[in-house]
Amino acid sequence: MALKLQVNTERLVRELEHLASYSDTPPPAITRILFTKPDLEARAYLKELFQEAGLKVREDPLGNLFARWEGHAPELPAVGTGSHIDAIPYAGMYDGTVGVLGGLEAIRALQQAGFKPHRSIELLVFTAEEPTRFGIGCLGSRALSGALSPEALRALKDSEGNSLEEVRQKAGYTGPLEEVRLPENHYAAFVELHIEQGPVLEQEGVPLGVVTAIAAPASLRVVLEGEGGHAGTVLMPDRKDALCAAAEIILGVEAFARGSGSINTVATTGFCEVHPNAINSVPSRVRLEIDVRDVEQSRRDQVVRNILQGVEQVCTRRNIRYSVEIINMDPPAKSASEVLRALVEACGEASVRFKLMVSRAYHDALFMARIAPTAMLFIPCRGGISHRPDEYASPEDIARGVQVLALTLAKLSQAEEKGPPKDEPLTLND
Amino acid sequence: MALKLQVNTERLVRELEHLASYSDTPPPAITRILFTKPDLEARAYLKELFQEAGLKVREDPLGNLFARWEGHAPELPAVGTGSHIDAIPYAGMYDGTVGVLGGLEAIRALQQAGFKPHRSIELLVFTAEEPTRFGIGCLGSRALSGALSPEALRALKDSEGNSLEEVRQKAGYTGPLEEVRLPENHYAAFVELHIEQGPVLEQEGVPLGVVTAIAAPASLRVVLEGEGGHAGTVLMPDRKDALCAAAEIILGVEAFARGSGSINTVATTGFCEVHPNAINSVPSRVRLEIDVRDVEQSRRDQVVRNILQGVEQVCTRRNIRYSVEIINMDPPAKSASEVLRALVEACGEASVRFKLMVSRAYHDALFMARIAPTAMLFIPCRGGISHRPDEYASPEDIARGVQVLALTLAKLSQAEEKGPPKDEPLTLND
């Protein structure tokens, strides 16, 4: 079967731009936080597009959105693709969205080419891949895969004290959270298209990355409690300044990552909140949130241990009370060989050069890998820049990714029932 | 003339507690920001009390509030007392308010004792001693003394972009700002009652402090601009992390103060705001606000120079763009000998032990000293704690301060026209 696929690049770019208009910050800065007005409006827009494409739309009680193209054998496990549309404050317009609208365009290209799927193809929009509102990333895919229980979901509160329960119900998602988790055999395969969010593809001039493993982050929340007071009258030796302790910890986080022995270790204090945050008041309390990643789990875990030890040392020396909460510390995921094989073959059919590579960003695919054979497809982004308003992927690169995604989905949807798993070794180019 | 003064401590404490109920945070945390609802309601409450005491109430276009007890010689320069009622976020209930309600109680005690003032006595409530809303402290007294011009006032904006002009007019203060500045001969003397906000009086067991000088702070605003990006994908050597640069500066501020050679040097980074402030995003921009104080101006200025140099070095090394704005760098004020003398004599009459001391906190008196002979009176506060919900001054200490304040106001109001100024040396016990 030789598929003649026509990706409508113009329409796809137009839709990406329209999706970007749902934002809480003026363009080009995109801010789209879970269950805010822009998020709900963007969801409505997508549902309309999905329905126009003849897909059957379903939403689960957490807001995960499924658009299904029914196959000839709807009783067989389906083939999934998709990504997320939420965006951290002042982010760009390609992170996640390319995998959602690109997934839709892949389906439309297959439809237009007269392709008829054997297994159903499902396009997913995951709820809250970004941790902005509830402090934990991949909320939707964690719940779908069972990595986050309904009890844990019910315990979540945002920084304003609203529980996820209130927030989702106000947004119209009222069903029992027990219905969110997917059975393990729901998908025969899952593949996520995403911008690289790193500089490798652009630097090496390779148009596609086939992801063999995802480096998962550990996230820590550190609360420091010192003693406040008047900035003029509390003498220096009497101070228990929570911000000075925080400053030492921030520099420690940086130093531990730099000193890990590998360029692949990154650690970031991305969040710092000071109380009472007034120029003439000694800071009494600081909350830090720290992200540590590595493709090598043991090395990452060593950095986390160094940070925990560093926090203890700084706080003991400075007489600061503290608490550390490990928000998550997920293992990395390895891609499934059958999905990789489909991707590699699709690249061949489309005559697109590719690179086997590792993802250092978090993705919903990390959790989908727990319940389905999973892999990812990366397209280059300018300067490796992401999570910023100037994030950019070219229409050509996006279209190339969509074409390979479509061919891959076609292959996977025609695949027979799986035999026993073959243990073929994968070489990671870490 | 021997005045028999009865300070109504119970009423004064009741009024302090009632004033504390006007707050944007639940008790015991007081938050009363310029021209917010609690601030306007507290002002209305005070005006009612002032009118009940027979005082003539006037407000200037900036919201400075004057309550005048007309003397026999209303044409002579008056005697002023007073303080402020605004409170930084999560502050306590005594800072400033003791000088306002204590000043009122002093006037009422004089009235009840049958005292008739020669010069008028004016009780002042200064607008925004705290810098919370417009980033600059002593807004009202700066403007009264001419240290801040109407043009400079009109240029002020709060962090949400509202100009002082809009904000004051919305609060009902609509007159021209040109009318705020007081003539130099408006007051024959000014004396401010305040809690110490430091531990000295309590530690030494002395019930009153007579302030011979006020150490004025320098305030700096530092904006750091690095480069944002995804916390997983931007490798450590490629980072321009604005928060890591900020952390070095915060530790530098602390180290320069500790290393100044004097226990009297304090420096604080009280404000730190991070952008975009998301756990998985490399901080691209940080704003710091830094407060530096010393009783010795040259030593303070050296610390400021060290900080400026430190910012430059850190930012050059880390490839971070930066700007530093010196918000203010006021000279210290020395108290006027004639006001000190009245205070010392009043302490003698009331048989209250006192200590000559220096103020390390900012006060409206610092600016009143530019247009009137000025001094301050300190009462102890528990543990030297201020700007915190557990700030506390005992009713006995407050009453003692009010009694001495009343005797001082009586003396100053009876004083004849000033002769040529006498240059008597003052010894500071720095």
Side-chain angles (χ1 to χ4, degrees):
Chain A
M1 172 193 66
L3 276 169
K4 280 220 166 135
L5 291 183
Q6 284 280 356
V7 173
N8 187 334
T9 311
E10 210 176 291
R11 170 172 64 184
L12 176 51
V13 168
R14 197 170 58 237
E15 289 172 353
L16 281 167
E17 282 169 357
H18 184 82
L19 185 56
S21 72
Y22 302 108
S23 169
D24 262 325
T25 44
I30 314 294
T31 303
R32 202 182 298 122
I33 313 291
L34 175 63
F35 296 150
T36 56
K37 190 162 169 276
D39 183 45
L40 294 172
E41 288 175 351
R43 285 163 182 264
Y45 168 63
L46 289 179
K47 282 183 265 186
E48 214 178 286
L49 292 183
F50 297 163
Q51 273 153 354
E52 279 170 22
L55 308 179
K56 211 161 73 190
V57 171
R58 167 175 93 81
E59 288 177 292
D60 75 13
L62 193 56
N64 289 306
L65 174 59
F66 303 77
R68 185 176 177 99
W69 183 15
E70 197 88 319
H72 293 302
E75 71 287 357
L76 287 184
V79 173
T81 189
S83 192
H84 65 100
I85 61 157
D86 65 318
I88 67 165
Y90 301 93
M93 63 175 270
Y94 299 92
D95 176 0
T97 57
V98 159
V100 171
L101 287 168
L104 173 63
E105 189 56 39
I107 288 172
R108 291 189 297 214
L110 288 170
Q111 290 172 336
Q112 214 200 336
F115 176 78
K116 303 283 180 208
H118 179 59
R119 295 168 186 275
S120 301
I121 294 178
E122 266 191 11
L123 173 59
L124 275 79
V125 187
F126 296 100
T127 280
E129 194 260 359
E130 306 290 1
T132 319
R133 183 152 193 181
F134 287 99
I136 182 167
C138 298
L139 204 58
S141 51
R142 272 179 208 273
L144 286 176
S145 69
L148 204 61
S149 68
E151 295 71 44
L153 287 167
R154 278 190 282 267
L156 290 175
K157 288 196 172 187
D158 68 13
S159 66
E160 285 166 11
N162 306 303
S163 71
L164 174 64
E165 275 303 84
E166 299 165 53
V167 164
R168 74 171 177 108
Q169 288 181 16
K170 215 170 148 190
Y173 299 97
T174 53
L177 291 175
E178 279 69 14
E179 290 174 6
V180 174
R181 184 172 183 173
L182 289 175
E184 282 216 18
N185 60 352
H186 184 84
Y187 290 115
F190 180 81
V191 55
E192 180 172 1
L193 175 68
H194 208 283
I195 58 169
E196 182 197 343
Q197 303 183 273
V200 176
L201 293 173
E202 188 189 58
Q203 276 171 11
E204 303 189 3
V206 181
L208 272 181
V210 171
V211 174
T212 54
I214 302 174
S219 307
L220 311 177
R221 184 176 293 132
V222 179
V223 177
L224 305 166
E225 301 251 14
E227 208 169 306
H230 192 291
T233 60
V234 184
L235 299 181
M236 300 309 284
D238 302 330
R239 293 193 175 193
K240 298 175 191 167
D241 184 322
L243 184 57
C244 287
E248 286 198 59
I249 292 165
I250 290 163
L251 293 173
V253 167
E254 185 190 41
F256 294 135
R258 282 175 175 266
S260 81
S262 167
I263 188 73
N264 283 314
T265 319
V266 288
T268 312
T269 309
F271 179 92
C272 173
E273 192 179 66
V274 180
H275 178 92
N277 218 26
I279 184 173
N280 56 358
S281 199
V282 178
S284 62
R285 191 170 72 241
V286 172
R287 182 155 71 97
L288 299 177
E289 290 181 5
I290 300 164
D291 176 298
V292 187
R293 306 187 195 206
D294 204 308
V295 288
E296 190 58 49
Q297 186 169 359
S298 64
R299 210 161 48 208
R300 183 200 68 183
D301 292 352
Q302 183 57 49
V303 172
V304 171
R305 279 192 297 273
N306 289 345
I307 293 173
L308 296 179
Q309 205 172 45
V311 169
E312 199 202 331
Q313 284 171 358
V314 168
C315 291
T316 303
R317 179 162 36 77
R318 287 185 172 269
N319 210 348
I320 300 275
R321 281 171 296 142
Y322 72 93
S323 67
V324 183
E325 182 190 345
I326 295 181
I327 305 172
N328 61 281
M329 207 157 155
D330 301 299
K334 295 216 163 148
S335 299
S337 51
E338 63 263 43
V339 189
L340 286 179
R341 196 165 301 116
L343 280 164
V344 167
E345 287 174 13
C347 287
E349 281 175 27
S351 305
V352 176
R353 281 190 311 135
F354 67 92
K355 178 183 167 70
L356 290 176
M357 64 188 299
V358 155
S359 162
R360 283 195 199 81
Y362 230 129
H363 294 291
D364 289 308
L366 182 68
F367 294 96
M368 295 307 284
R370 297 190 179 197
I371 53 165
T374 294
M376 291 188 74
L377 192 57
F378 273 178
I379 57 170
C381 62
R382 188 175 58 193
I385 288 166
S386 181
H387 281 193
R388 273 172 37 183
D390 53 342
E391 179 181 270
Y392 177 77
S394 77
E396 300 69 37
D397 283 331
I398 297 174
R400 211 177 278 117
V402 168
Q403 197 195 13
V404 169
L405 174 65
L407 292 170
T408 306
L409 293 176
K411 260 176 221 306
L412 293 169
S413 81
Q414 305 305 89
E416 293 306 306
E417 279 295 318
K418 273 200 291 184
K422 299 159 216 147
D423 258 323
E424 286 176 46
L426 277 170
T427 313
L428 304 193
N429 58 340
D430 168 8
Chain B
M1 175 193 66
L3 275 170
K4 280 223 165 127
L5 291 182
Q6 283 281 356
V7 174
N8 187 335
T9 312
E10 210 176 292
R11 170 172 64 184
L12 175 50
V13 169
R14 200 171 55 236
E15 288 172 354
L16 281 167
E17 282 169 355
H18 184 83
L19 185 56
S21 71
Y22 301 107
S23 169
D24 262 325
T25 44
I30 314 294
T31 303
R32 202 182 298 123
I33 314 291
L34 175 65
F35 295 150
T36 57
K37 189 161 168 275
D39 183 44
L40 294 173
E41 289 175 350
R43 287 163 181 264
Y45 168 63
L46 290 179
K47 283 183 263 187
E48 215 179 284
L49 291 183
F50 296 163
Q51 272 153 355
E52 278 170 21
L55 307 180
K56 212 160 74 188
V57 171
R58 167 175 94 80
E59 288 177 290
D60 76 13
L62 193 55
N64 290 307
L65 174 58
F66 303 77
R68 185 176 175 98
W69 183 15
E70 197 88 320
H72 292 304
E75 72 287 356
L76 287 184
V79 173
T81 189
S83 192
H84 65 99
I85 60 157
D86 65 318
I88 68 165
Y90 302 93
M93 62 175 271
Y94 299 92
D95 175 1
T97 56
V98 159
V100 172
L101 287 170
L104 173 63
E105 190 56 40
I107 288 173
R108 291 189 298 214
L110 288 170
Q111 290 172 336
Q112 214 201 336
F115 176 79
K116 303 281 180 207
H118 180 60
R119 296 167 185 276
S120 301
I121 294 178
E122 266 190 11
L123 173 59
L124 276 79
V125 186
F126 295 100
T127 280
E129 194 260 359
E130 306 290 0
T132 320
R133 184 152 193 181
F134 287 99
I136 183 166
C138 298
L139 203 59
S141 51
R142 273 180 208 272
L144 286 176
S145 70
L148 203 62
S149 68
E151 296 71 43
L153 287 168
R154 278 190 281 267
L156 289 175
K157 290 197 169 186
D158 67 13
S159 65
E160 282 166 14
N162 306 302
S163 71
L164 174 64
E165 275 303 83
E166 300 165 53
V167 165
R168 77 172 175 106
Q169 286 180 17
K170 216 169 147 192
Y173 300 97
T174 53
L177 291 175
E178 280 69 13
E179 290 175 7
V180 173
R181 183 172 183 173
L182 289 175
E184 283 216 19
N185 61 353
H186 184 82
Y187 291 115
F190 180 81
V191 56
E192 180 173 1
L193 174 69
H194 208 283
I195 59 169
E196 183 197 341
Q197 304 183 273
V200 176
L201 293 174
E202 189 190 59
Q203 276 171 12
E204 303 190 2
V206 181
L208 273 181
V210 171
V211 175
T212 55
I214 302 174
S219 306
L220 311 177
R221 185 176 293 131
V222 179
V223 177
L224 306 166
E225 302 250 14
E227 208 168 306
H230 191 291
T233 59
V234 184
L235 298 182
M236 300 307 286
D238 302 330
R239 293 195 176 191
K240 299 175 190 166
D241 184 322
L243 183 56
C244 288
E248 286 198 58
I249 292 165
I250 290 164
L251 293 173
V253 166
E254 184 188 41
F256 294 136
R258 282 176 174 266
S260 81
S262 166
I263 187 73
N264 284 313
T265 318
V266 288
T268 311
T269 309
F271 180 92
C272 173
E273 192 179 65
V274 180
H275 178 91
N277 216 27
I279 184 172
N280 56 357
S281 199
V282 178
S284 61
R285 191 170 74 242
V286 173
R287 181 155 72 97
L288 299 178
E289 289 180 6
I290 299 164
D291 176 296
V292 186
R293 307 188 193 205
D294 205 308
V295 288
E296 190 57 49
Q297 186 168 2
S298 64
R299 209 162 47 207
R300 183 200 66 182
D301 293 353
Q302 184 57 49
V303 172
V304 171
R305 280 193 297 273
N306 289 345
I307 293 173
L308 296 179
Q309 206 173 42
V311 169
E312 198 202 334
Q313 284 172 357
V314 168
C315 292
T316 303
R317 180 162 34 79
R318 287 185 173 269
N319 210 348
I320 300 277
R321 281 172 298 142
Y322 71 94
S323 66
V324 183
E325 183 191 344
I326 294 181
I327 305 172
N328 60 280
M329 208 156 155
D330 301 298
K334 295 218 163 147
S335 299
S337 52
E338 61 265 43
V339 188
L340 286 179
R341 196 166 301 116
L343 279 165
V344 167
E345 286 174 13
C347 287
E349 280 176 27
S351 305
V352 176
R353 282 188 310 135
F354 67 93
K355 177 185 169 70
L356 290 176
M357 64 188 300
V358 156
S359 162
R360 283 193 198 84
Y362 230 130
H363 293 291
D364 290 307
L366 182 69
F367 295 96
M368 294 307 284
R370 297 189 179 198
I371 54 166
T374 294
M376 291 189 74
L377 190 57
F378 273 179
I379 57 170
C381 62
R382 187 175 59 192
I385 288 165
S386 180
H387 280 193
R388 271 172 38 183
D390 53 342
E391 179 181 272
Y392 178 77
S394 77
E396 300 70 38
D397 283 332
I398 297 173
R400 210 177 276 117
V402 168
Q403 197 196 11
V404 169
L405 175 66
L407 292 170
T408 307
L409 294 176
K411 261 175 220 307
L412 293 168
S413 82
Q414 305 305 89
E416 293 305 308
E417 280 293 319
K418 273 200 291 184
K422 300 157 218 148
D423 258 324
E424 289 176 44
L426 275 171
T427 313
L428 303 193
N429 58 340
D430 169 7

